[in-house]
Structures are given as C-alpha cells and as structure tokens.
Amino acid sequence: GTRERKVLQGHTDAVEEVHITARNYITGSHDTNINVYDLNSSELQWQFKEHTDKVLSMSMHFSKPLFASAAYQSDKLWLCNYHYRVSTSLQLPLAKPTVAAGAMRFGNERYSETLVVGTQDEAKKGRIAICRIDRAEARLIDSVPTNLPVQCVTCPPACSPLSGKFVFTCSEEKLYFYDTLYQSSSKKITTVVVSSQNIIRLPNKSVVGHNIHDISFSPNGMLLQSCGEDNTVIVHDVRRFDRPLLVLEHEYMSGVHGVACQWSSDSRFLVSGADDCTIRLWDVGRGNGGRAYHSASRSYTNLEERLGFKDTEVNLIKHNQSGAICALSLSTMSDMVVAGTNTGRIVVHGLQSFE
C-alpha cells in the first residue's frame, strides 16, 4: 500500500479542493478558507480568507501563481496571486449562484487567459460563463444558459484532438462541448451521450446511473475520464465515445461525494478516491479484457518500475483511508498523492512503496 507521509493541519471541515504546485499544497475547504502550505515543510504559510461561505471550487492557472475560487451561493468569483498574496473579484451573472467542485477551469496553454465557470442558481438552472483574465482583471465575454445545474468543467491539453473546446456536464449521462472557435455557421455547443445501460457494473449500482460529476483529460489529450454518482470511473478515447475503454469501480456507498480522480503525468495511471474511504491506483495503459488504451511506447517509466508493473496486464492498488475522499491531487513527478477528506483531514501519501 501507500506510505502515509504526513498530515496537513489547518482545516476544520470538508476539503473539496486539493492542488499541488512546484512550491505549495493549496487546499479549499467548507470552513471558508483556502490554505497554502509549503511543499517541503508542509507548514501552513498563508490563508486566503475572502470567502464567507464554504469553498466549493478552485482552478489553478496553467503557468502563473494564480488560482480562481468560488464559494457556496456567492456571486463573487475570486482571483488570487498566491505568491504576492493579492486578489481581485468578478461578479458572476447569477443571483446567489453555486459553483460545484470542479466546475471552474482555466484553459490550456493556448487559452490560459480564459476561465470557464459552471454555475447553478436557486431554481436549479445552470449557466456556463466564459471569462477573460487580463492583467489581473476578469471580464465576462460569453454566457450560455443550461437546463440543469453545471457539475464540472474541464479543458483538454493543446495536443488533444479536442483542443479549442471546453467540456462540461450537468449531472446527467451526457457530455457537453463548448467550442471556443465557433462561427455563426457552426454550433456553439454539441452533446455526447454516455449511457451506463450496457456497462457491466457492481450489482448494487443497478438503481443509479452514471450521472457525471467530474471529468478530466489525460495529459496526452487522448483519454477522458468521467466520474459518476455510481462511484464508477469510465475512461473514453476522445476520438470515439460510443464505447468505453475501461470501467473502474469503487464500492457504491450512496454518499454525496462520489469519486475524485487524477491522471499521472504520462497518462498511464489514474488515481481515484471515493466515499468508500479508499484511494486506488489504476494501471489504465495495460488493458482490461482487451478494452484498454495502449500507448505507442512500451518503455517503462520510473513510476512503473517503482510500482512493479512490468509483468502484469491490469493492476489495482488499493489503500484504505480514514474518511470519505472529497478531493485528490497527484504531483507532477507522480511520487505523491494528496487526499482531502470530508472531515477536513488532508493526508500526503508517498507512492514509493506499493508492493
């Protein structure tokens, strides 16, 4: 299993957002605070305290020491330079909106000054807001209503066939693609249905669908994972969504937190955590009944060698964690995973000691 390296102190309520940068751990919590910790010492360096309600969503800029954040039923979206500890706010285009965890995303390196925010209002209607971040100021450049609350937003890397699009979900078995390059003759938003009807899942999941609450692209831009309310992660090839490549399952606990996922930097592994109180490492590059994505290169990465994945086709490492997992972050070197729980506990796990 993993080796528990350290516990980060400072939050008193559920941690919905966890991020690792070159120098810091950055976490957002229901206790209204965003904490910035030193990566080496794990000491709490600073707290961002502008929010007055539970912090639900954050996004880190592609290259700048900048995060965007939003709290429950607040019409302010905050932008903060966490190195210089300066911030500014933007008014959201809804009264008392809520931005769900993961429903805020900066663009890739080509669209790094674009921030997309998915919201919901008291009437359970949603909206996608496209913001332009320029010289530490934010302005609204587009706004699209949705029939249901927006649950999550993501952007593919520039190398992906889907570069130029933002993808969002509304707690359905559907993916929506917002085209940043749309013309008057083309569609601004297209839809892909991701049905769980023909997917074999654990027996107790027959009463719940794969209503998507989290999505993310692999760093190579070729895979998209979708986390559902059924505590299932479905991995798709972005060139075709009619059949999933992999179905990765946590136990279904009927909880509210579902699954959190992170890709390794080489797109080979997925780390997932859920309200079944486990963190699982999946080798998605080696196949599952012939359905997995195979990379062109067969050379072993340092992570593969450390984890002993040379001889097996499909690998699952499971680690029991105290508390339901609300958020995960995997370091760039894939040597540590940070997990935030529903109790406010933040644990840094080393990935050196899988046996």
Side-chain angles (χ1 to χ4, degrees), residues 266-285:
D266 61 359
S267 305
R268 170 70 186 278
F269 301 96
L270 264 177
V271 176
S272 64
D275 49 16
D276 64 356
C277 301
T278 65
I279 298 172
R280 306 182 186 215
L281 178 68
W282 309 87
D283 180 3
V284 301

Side-chain angles (χ1 to χ4, degrees), residues 291-308:
R291 292 187 297 158
Y293 173 80
H294 290 270
S295 62
S297 171
R298 300 301 295 173
S299 61
Y300 295 110
T301 65
N302 290 334
L303 181 60
E304 291 177 69
E305 292 171 356
R306 283 206 303 272
L307 304 185

